[in-house]
Amino acid sequence: MSFKKDLHLLLRPYYWVNILLSLSYVTAKKLPFFCTLVFPAAECELDSRESEILFFLMIVVMLRTRKAGSVTMINYLSASFIYAKVANVILWFYADIRLGIGYSVVFVLCSLILPEPTYSGPESITYFRTVAGLEEELESDKRVTWIIAFYTAWNPACVNFAPVFAQISHEYHLDNLKFGKIDIGRYPDAASKYRIHDGATSQQLPTVILFTEGKESLRRPTFDNSNKLVRFFFTEDNIKLAFDLNNLYQQCKANPLKKKLEAKKGTGHHKTD
């Protein structure tokens, strides 16, 4: 199902245009028709310098996508596009400065006209703007269980996780099981409060914390006994398993807020009598 979904997403202009841009130099070099048209005075083979640049690109993409926790084809593509296009800028300039300028112009125009598609499906998420607002919500009714995602807008792993968290929130949301998000890039005091490193090299982005009765009871990623961060891949299945969402949902559903409110009203009426 995930593979079919990825194939459907690839039909969107953003993906196929960026794939063409990412493969433009190699395609122009390897296909005889394009090669003689674009490089009339050059051989239609990659020289040693061009091969080195492409090999370095492959290493960077593999390392960055692994760090970002990219686990689907779309995730890999999204994480690799920027590095592939930068490598192509270098290659086109290496071949001819005029070609480099032309490619750079196309690169910038496509970035402005075709931004990366964002998740547009249903979600049940509360967005918090301050730590005070989050803490106030956690304390306002301790019968409500909260699952909060701490993220930054610029981190690839957070971007990849956004649609997963949105879908989970829509599937599992109840009156007493709620989902929230707070951007610790914009509100760094939240990062300090919950001990989340939000720097460019951080391995804690995103961080998801389960709050039970207003207190933290579980988080991912977490640290082991030697204070070493335990790597966690933020897939839908991993989140459901780590936070035992199916059982948590059933427990919350079996104890809705409405019943407790009615019980309190009933008790109050008995005392009045």
Side-chain angles (χ1 to χ4, degrees):
M1 290 296 292
S2 178
F3 182 71
K4 290 182 179 179
K5 185 178 179 180
D6 284 351
L7 288 178
H8 180 72
L9 289 174
L10 284 178
L11 297 177
R12 296 187 180 185
Y14 169 83
Y15 292 105
W16 57 262
V17 168
N18 276 277
I19 289 173
L20 291 175
L21 287 173
S22 300
L23 299 175
S24 61
Y25 191 84
V26 174
T27 301
K29 271 283 186 175
K30 289 295 185 179
L31 295 182
F33 172 77
F34 290 108
C35 183
T36 54
L37 185 66
V38 180
F39 309 106
E43 293 184 4
C44 295
E45 291 293 337
L46 297 172
D47 62 25
S48 59
R49 180 60 60 86
E50 292 167 336
S51 299
E52 288 174 2
I53 293 172
L54 290 172
F55 182 71
F56 181 72
L57 168 66
M58 290 175 59
I59 294 174
V60 170
V61 169
M62 289 175 63
L63 291 175
R64 294 301 298 177
T65 52
R66 183 174 181 273
K67 181 180 178 182
S70 303
V71 292
T72 69
M73 179 174 62
I74 291 296
N75 291 160
Y76 275 113
L77 287 174
S78 298
S80 63
F81 279 152
I82 185 63
Y83 305 108
K85 288 185 288 187
V86 169
N88 273 269
V89 169
I90 297 171
L91 288 167
W92 284 112
F93 268 106
Y94 174 72
D96 189 314
I97 189 172
R98 293 169 297 179
L99 294 174
I101 292 173
Y103 180 86
S104 299
V105 171
V106 174
F107 178 0
V108 173
L109 287 176
C110 288
S111 299
L112 295 174
I113 297 172
L114 292 174
E116 183 173 2
T118 56
Y119 177 77
S120 57
E123 64 175 40
S124 298
I125 298 175
T126 301
Y127 290 85
F128 295 98
R129 298 180 181 273
T130 63
V131 174
L134 172 58
E135 292 183 334
E136 181 180 349
E137 189 65 43
L138 292 174
E139 293 292 328
S140 64
D141 191 342
K142 293 186 177 181
R143 296 170 299 166
V144 177
T145 298
W146 280 91
I147 298 178
I148 307 294
F150 297 79
Y151 73 102
T152 63
W154 51 262
N155 183 272
C158 295
V159 174
N160 292 338
F161 179 56
V164 173
F165 192 71
Q167 292 168 19
I168 289 175
S169 73
H170 179 67
E171 182 179 353
Y172 288 91
H173 178 268
L174 294 169
D175 288 341
N176 55 347
L177 177 57
K178 297 184 178 181
F179 296 78
K181 294 181 74 172
I182 184 166
D183 186 347
I184 59 176
R186 297 181 62 186
Y187 311 107
D189 52 337
S192 300
K193 169 70 177 179
Y194 294 100
R195 308 176 308 284
I196 302 170
H197 176 51
D198 61 345
T201 60
S202 176
Q203 298 291 316
Q204 291 181 270
L205 294 173
T207 288
V208 177
I209 301 180
L210 172 68
F211 291 92
T212 306
E213 297 183 353
K215 304 295 181 182
E216 177 181 337
S217 58
L218 181 67
R219 75 161 62 193
R220 291 291 185 275
T222 188
F223 292 87
D224 60 19
N225 295 331
S226 59
N227 204 34
K228 182 179 179 181
L229 191 69
V230 179
R231 189 168 182 78
F232 185 82
F233 290 101
F234 285 90
T235 65
E236 182 175 348
D237 289 340
N238 284 352
I239 287 291
K240 289 180 178 180
L241 181 63
F243 292 90
D244 197 15
L245 280 182
N246 289 323
N247 285 331
L248 182 61
Y249 177 84
Q250 293 301 328
Q251 291 171 11
C252 292
K253 190 174 182 179
N255 297 281
L257 297 181
K258 186 176 180 181
K259 286 185 177 180
K260 292 196 172 185
L261 288 173
E262 289 176 351
K264 283 188 176 182
K265 289 180 180 179
T267 303
H269 179 71
H270 179 73
K271 288 182 177 179
T272 301
D273 292 341

